[in-house]
Amino acid sequence: MKYTVTGTVAEFGVGQRLRLSAAQIDARRFALEDINEKSGEVTIKSLVQFKRGEEIDVKEKEDSLPRSLSLVLTPSSRLAAADKPKKASTSKAVGDEADLDAIEDRLEQAENAFKAALERHGISIAKEPTADQQALIQTELDELQAAKRAYDEAIGED
């Protein structure tokens, strides 16, 4: 299933199987093994990061992704649907754009705080955190989820 990185960074760990573009393979060849140039299928041999906007093909369905990835990845098909033109509103307030900017800033700050909390506590984003680890990052996780919900509501996603 194709996903687009909508968070700041998506990190994949050792052993993860992905399908990447030729440019993505070239940029990360040092961290990949079992590279199939034709299909783009690879196995990761060391931590790999993808930045916001990159598209990645992951075998797992959305509900099977580890929480750390589900927070930063969005199915590309959902994004494509969001790009379709919507009915034009009769008046577009400038304040709406400012509100969206503030919501986007909140989301970015929450993502950065979450990532910092993971790093501070030595928790890998590539694995589901244990109950003890989750307790350490719960505040940041709650804020990230709230910011993501607010952003989704602002752009009209369910």
Side-chain angles (χ1 to χ4, degrees), residues 70-144:
S70 66
L71 293 172
V72 296
L73 296 177
T74 303
S76 296
S77 59
R78 192 181 316 160
L79 290 177
D83 289 341
K84 290 181 182 172
K86 297 180 180 176
K87 292 181 182 176
S89 63
T90 55
S91 66
K92 174 126 177 120
V94 175
D96 290 346
E97 289 180 28
D99 290 344
L100 184 57
D101 288 342
I103 291 169
E104 288 174 339
D105 289 343
R106 176 185 176 199
L107 179 58
E108 187 171 350
Q109 289 173 356
E111 288 170 345
N112 291 337
F114 180 70
K115 185 176 180 184
L118 290 173
E119 290 174 5
R120 184 173 53 248
H121 297 293
I123 301 170
S124 171
I125 197 163
K127 294 181 182 177
E128 190 72 27
T130 65
D132 291 340
Q133 290 173 327
Q134 189 165 346
L136 294 171
I137 59 171
Q138 192 62 49
T139 303
E140 290 85 356
L141 182 59
D142 290 344
E143 173 57 21
L144 179 58

